[in-house]
Amino acid sequence: MGLKTSWLESANAPECPFPLNNLPYGVFSIGDEDPRCGVAIGDMILDCQKAEETGLLDFDETPLFDVPFWNEVMEAGPALWVALRARLQELLGNDAHKAAIQPMLVSQADAEMHLPFLVAEYTDFYAGRHHAFNVGSMFRDPANALPPNWLHIPIGYNGRASSVVVSGTPVRRPWGQLKSPDHALPAFLPSRRFDFELEMGAIVGSASDGPVTVDEADAMIFGYVLLNDWSARDIQAWEYQPLGPFQAKATATSISPWIVTKAALEPFRVACPEREFELLPHLKDTGPMLYNIDLDVRLTPKGKAASTIARTNYREMYYSAPQQLAHHTTSGCPMNPGDLLGSGTISGATKPERGSLLELSWGGKEPLQLEGGETRSFLEDGDTLTLTGRARGDGYVIGFGDCTGQILPALENPYKR
Ligand code: MN
């Protein structure tokens, strides 16, 4: 199955991230106008509010687009998700609708993007085996790098929904309590080891109020975004035992502006890797639930050339998002539309495939060489970090839109007033 063609020529270009096959969901504004829901097609955005007001998007659940977020579409349920996608493909694919739809398109270049959904809650996992092995080797010991539970459950922690920001939002270097091995006591300082984590985010679209199976969990997922779990490694190293990361991960979590639907990613499903231990029945693989998505990371020092510092693929994960979601519900934990699940850092087996500076610079011991001669162990003020994702089909590409953020210098001591 190849490119689905649109009457909008820009959508049919071979490297266009937003062909008719994709149709990701975002929230945009033009100038001083209020934000509204839109669908990316080629280099344009279809204004869903206008399409609904003129009756071109008309469902039992209407109105869906009188609000600037996609949660109402999620809450309408999977049958509506299918009907909406089919209708959008008809409107943007069939020439008969060109005259009616064209006035409802705005240029992506003119649009400011906003968070595409209200983030209900945010959980982050630790499900990349190479990442967990690398971090465990650095902080503990290569012989016992993986914690004993790691191959049996997807490890996670409850993050903060309030930390989630849309791509493009600057990120301020945090202050925190740090404990250097050379000092007997901790000190309150700006983080010196501020880092990124390359992740995918899965967006829960349907509610559950009890344990669900892996297949049920897959059906509950609405779509995926790129996610950067900004991490202060020095704050993390001091605070993480025994309850896991806390302030190290609370500064910001950036997501890409477009929700790529599960339907658009369907042709790219791949299986999880071979299991070292058989998973317990409720977590067992029931089909291919990872996706073949090429990921890369660019670091751009202020005023300098960009360097690609890592390339990997989402298929490197050990646990899929449906397995993580199923595990999340085992206790009876209720899940809701708008819940966001971070995959965990995605690293491949080799050095250029590592999804964090902690791993790329091996804890700062092997600084990275950038284009133009600079080196980096961790992020510096003014650096811009950009994640990109692409699933490559037969004659088309499914893109996510960049997930980017620039590091602002720490404030003056926030307690000195
Ligand atoms: Mn993370």
Side-chain angles (χ1 to χ4, degrees):
M1 192 187 64
L3 174 75
K4 293 180 195 291
T5 55
S6 168
W7 46 258
L8 183 70
E9 269 312 311
S10 66
N12 304 328
E15 286 297 309
C16 175
F18 305 122
L20 193 62
N21 305 61
N22 193 349
L23 301 182
Y25 301 151
V27 170
F28 72 99
S29 63
I30 304 285
D32 295 335
E33 286 176 19
D34 289 336
R36 46 180 71 193
C37 289
V39 176
I41 178 75
D43 56 2
M44 307 295 277
I45 301 171
L46 170 63
D47 183 332
C48 292
Q49 191 177 325
K50 278 192 185 151
E52 182 171 80
E53 282 166 0
T54 52
L56 287 167
L57 292 175
D58 185 19
F59 305 97
D60 290 347
E61 296 85 350
T62 304
L64 293 164
F65 299 115
D66 54 342
V67 290
F69 40 80
W70 283 83
N71 301 60
E72 296 206 348
V73 170
M74 297 182 205
E75 284 163 20
L80 182 276
W81 307 348
V82 172
L84 173 61
R85 181 170 167 82
R87 179 64 178 159
L88 289 167
Q89 289 196 327
E90 163 70 16
L91 291 174
L92 294 163
N94 187 334
D95 289 344
H97 300 290
K98 182 174 175 177
I101 290 290
Q102 232 163 5
M104 300 174 189
L105 297 180
V106 298
S107 168
Q108 285 174 29
D110 296 337
E112 180 186 347
M113 300 305 295
H114 303 267
L115 272 183
F117 63 106
L118 301 175
V119 182
E121 303 201 53
Y122 165 52
T123 306
D124 194 35
F125 287 88
Y126 186 58
R129 182 168 190 167
H130 303 294
H131 172 73
F133 178 82
N134 289 338
V135 172
S137 300
M138 263 181 273
F139 288 159
R140 287 177 289 273
D141 143 34
N144 299 293
L146 291 182
N149 53 7
W150 201 94
L151 292 166
H152 303 279
I153 46 172
I155 310 284
Y157 64 91
N158 289 307
R160 292 285 300 174
S162 63
S163 77
V164 181
V165 295
V166 73
S167 171
T169 308
V171 176
R172 174 90 52 197
R173 179 182 301 277
W175 284 72
Q177 191 173 120
L178 323 176
K179 163 76 174 66
S180 150
D182 311 332
H183 292 90
L185 293 171
F188 187 68
L189 292 166
S191 172
R192 295 158 180 177
R193 290 159 73 92
F194 199 56
D195 198 0
F196 73 92
E197 288 189 344
L198 166 63
E199 305 193 21
M200 298 285 301
I203 298 159
V204 176
S206 305
S208 66
D209 60 1
V212 302
T213 66
V214 171
D215 285 328
E216 287 164 346
D218 189 39
M220 286 167 65
I221 294 174
F222 183 66
Y224 290 83
V225 289
L226 304 173
L227 185 149
N228 181 349
D229 173 24
W230 302 96
S231 299
R233 301 301 181 190
D234 37 11
I235 298 174
Q236 186 178 358
W238 174 233
E239 74 176 2
Y240 87 104
Q241 289 177 329
L243 288 185
F246 186 47
Q247 292 306 292
K249 306 281 197 170
T251 299
T253 307
S254 300
I255 62 170
S256 51
W258 297 106
I259 302 170
V260 175
T261 62
K262 194 174 51 185
L265 292 172
E266 215 45 48
F268 305 98
R269 280 183 183 263
V270 288
C272 286
E274 201 68 30
R275 301 295 172 187
E276 194 162 321
F277 293 97
E278 199 177 337
L279 293 170
L280 288 173
H282 68 287
L283 290 178
K284 261 195 187 152
D285 298 283
T286 55
M289 293 200 190
L290 289 176
Y291 298 93
N292 181 1
I293 300 169
D294 288 330
L295 301 165
D296 61 54
V297 183
R298 277 196 319 274
L299 197 163
T300 313
K302 194 173 185 178
K304 302 276 172 60
S307 297
T308 297
I309 59 171
R311 289 181 205 278
T312 184
N313 192 292
Y314 181 49
R315 69 189 304 167
E316 296 291 343
M317 301 311 286
Y318 195 75
Y319 295 102
S320 66
Q323 284 169 320
Q324 294 172 329
L325 177 53
H327 175 61
H328 210 318
T329 66
T330 49
S331 57
C333 178
M335 302 302 293
N336 290 297
D339 280 347
L340 175 64
L341 309 184
S343 61
T345 306
I346 306 165
S347 293
T350 70
K351 186 165 179 176
E353 298 172 82
R354 295 174 183 166
S356 67
L357 277 168
L358 177 70
E359 296 163 87
L360 287 162
S361 74
W362 207 253
K365 291 198 183 90
E366 301 167 17
L368 265 194
Q369 200 69 45
L370 304 182
E371 308 286 338
E374 291 199 34
T375 61
R376 281 294 180 282
S377 291
F378 293 95
L379 295 168
E380 296 191 3
D381 294 346
D383 284 355
T384 297
L385 200 289
T386 303
L387 314 179
T388 60
R390 278 186 159 68
R392 294 192 174 276
D394 180 12
Y396 70 100
V397 169
I398 300 288
F400 285 75
D402 288 352
C403 178
T404 190
Q406 186 176 31
I407 308 299
L408 301 180
L411 296 168
E412 294 296 305
N413 187 338
Y415 293 105
K416 217 173 181 177
R417 294 190 182 127

